[in-house]
């Protein structure tokens, strides 16, 4: 599904960004897709090395279906700079012939030491219509239960579904740690998430000219509840929007966040690094 959308991007991978003064974590990337992009500068090891040179020395590789979750877990077992999360993407759940069996596969991976989170799961009313909503919600509730059983953070995909995400988390009882991947809400929604103790992970979208509401959300988020991510190869920060993304471009997002929030760059990097270790570490 996501590989099909990848064909819509154009252009070469951007040049390396100016390194950050303190290394941070890319809390959400898809190396399995990134390495298949046309013009990719190398294999996984090369992308990891490029990220480290830019001050992004830890990566969270995210699963979106059974196959990619297995791949993510195996990669994390081999690369010291990478940990994994495993899950069924919310748009994947309605397409499965046997959702229960797929969830059993995810749970079987969840106990591995290098699997450090359950996600990305959640709700998406942008791509999944009414017919798929029940399966999507069933899958989300099951992932919440898996995260609680294994005491691992829950990584949430939320697209046009803010109210449903909060409702289901409130009904089920959220795990101790919840990460809103690629946070896309406004300041009002951010305040609700912050009040619940959730972490907000900001992607390159926070640098987009049109993202005024998103920057307002970042401004009211305590620095200790902020993470950053690429969602690579998607959501490339400015000035390279529309080109393939990779973890070595995180510095553009971090500097955009610092500018939007008025935070000192060193302080912001140190906070993101510490939060990444607290949520997903130790590496």
């Amino acid at each position: 599904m996501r590989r099909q959308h990848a064909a819509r991007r154009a252009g070469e991978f951007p040049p390396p960004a100016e390194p950050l003064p303190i290394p941070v974590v890319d809390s959400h990337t898809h190396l399995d897709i990134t390495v298949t992009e046309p013009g990719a500068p190398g294999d996984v090891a090369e992308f990891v090395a490029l990220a480290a040179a830019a001050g992004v020395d830890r990566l969270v590789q995210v699963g979106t279906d059974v196959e990619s979750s297995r791949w993510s877990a195996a990669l994390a077992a081999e690369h010291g700079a990478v940990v994994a999360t495993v899950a069924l993407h919310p748009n994947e759940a309605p397409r499965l012939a046997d959702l229960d069996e797929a969830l059993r596969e995810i749970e079987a991976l969840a106990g591995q030491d290098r699997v450090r989170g359950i996600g990305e799961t959640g709700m998406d009313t942008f791509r999944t219509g009414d017919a798929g909503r029940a399966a999507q919600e069933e899958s989300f509730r099951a992932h919440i239960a898996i995260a609680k059983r294994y005491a691992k953070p829950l990584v949430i995909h939320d697209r046009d579904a803010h109210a449903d995400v909060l409702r289901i988390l409130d009904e089920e009882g959220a795990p101790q740690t919840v990460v809103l991947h690629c946070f896309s809400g406004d300041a009002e929604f951010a305040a609700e998430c912050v009040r619940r103790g959730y972490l907000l992970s900001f992607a390159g979208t926070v640098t987009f000219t049109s993202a005024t509401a998103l920057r307002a959300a970042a401004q009211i988020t305590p620095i200790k509840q902020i993470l950053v991510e690429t969602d690579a190869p998607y959501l490339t920060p400015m000035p390279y929007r529309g080109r393939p993304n990779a973890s070595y471009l995180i510095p553009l997002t971090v500097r955009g966040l610092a500018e939007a929030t008025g935070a000192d760059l060193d302080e912001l990097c140190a906070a993101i690094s510490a939060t990444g270790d607290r949520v997903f570490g130790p590496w």
Side-chain angles (χ1 to χ4, degrees):
M1 176 189 63
R2 302 197 76 182
R3 294 175 190 275
Q4 294 170 356
H5 298 314
R8 299 179 184 175
R9 287 184 306 284
E12 299 176 349
F13 277 85
E18 180 183 352
L20 292 169
I22 297 172
V24 303
V25 178
D26 181 352
S27 73
H28 194 113
T29 189
H30 300 279
L31 285 161
D32 53 325
I33 305 174
T34 305
V35 296
T36 67
E37 287 285 300
D43 57 9
V44 166
E46 181 63 23
F47 275 105
V48 170
L50 286 169
V56 186
D57 62 350
R58 288 149 289 162
L59 284 70
V60 181
Q61 162 63 27
V62 175
T64 58
D65 55 22
V66 171
E67 179 184 1
S68 65
S69 293
R70 287 174 179 158
W71 190 94
S72 300
L75 179 72
E78 296 173 0
H79 285 266
V82 181
V83 296
T85 72
V86 298
L88 308 175
H89 191 282
N91 291 326
E92 178 73 8
R95 302 169 62 239
L96 294 170
D98 192 338
L99 176 59
D100 288 342
E101 175 58 27
L103 287 167
R104 284 192 289 271
E105 293 272 5
I106 296 302
E107 180 146 19
L109 295 167
Q112 294 186 23
D113 175 66
R114 299 291 291 174
V115 172
R116 299 292 176 78
I118 308 303
E120 58 187 284
T121 181
M123 298 292 291
D124 186 324
T125 63
F126 180 79
R127 296 196 187 281
T128 296
D130 292 343
R133 202 69 48 78
Q136 197 173 82
E137 185 165 329
E138 178 186 353
S139 178
F140 185 25
R141 291 180 187 273
H143 283 82
I144 293 170
I146 293 170
K148 289 196 288 190
R149 278 196 291 275
Y150 288 89
K152 294 188 176 182
L154 184 73
V155 178
I156 292 179
H157 170 105
D158 163 27
R159 188 162 187 187
D160 294 353
H162 303 333
D164 282 337
V165 164
L166 292 183
R167 171 182 60 83
I168 293 166
L169 285 169
D170 289 347
E171 288 173 358
E172 293 294 320
Q176 182 175 354
T177 304
V178 173
V179 179
L180 274 296
H181 137 67
C182 187
F183 185 80
S184 59
D186 58 12
E188 181 180 0
F189 181 55
E192 286 295 320
C193 294
V194 166
R195 181 174 64 81
R196 289 167 167 82
Y198 302 162
L199 300 165
L200 279 54
S201 184
F202 291 93
T205 44
V206 77
T207 70
F208 294 177
T209 304
S210 59
T212 304
L214 187 56
R215 286 187 286 275
Q219 289 166 7
I220 65 102
T221 304
I223 195 170
K224 291 184 178 180
Q225 287 177 254
I226 289 178
L227 286 167
V228 291
E229 64 175 82
T230 52
D231 197 24
Y234 313 103
L235 307 181
T236 312
M238 296 293 290
Y240 303 112
R241 183 178 181 179
R243 291 168 66 175
N245 200 4
S247 297
Y248 67 81
L249 296 173
I250 278 276
L252 298 173
T253 300
V254 175
R255 288 187 166 90
L257 264 176
E259 182 178 352
T261 61
D264 175 79
L265 180 61
D266 284 14
E267 182 182 2
L268 180 60
C269 289
I272 291 168
S273 181
T275 301
D277 278 352
R278 185 175 76 249
V279 173
F280 297 109
W283 257 255

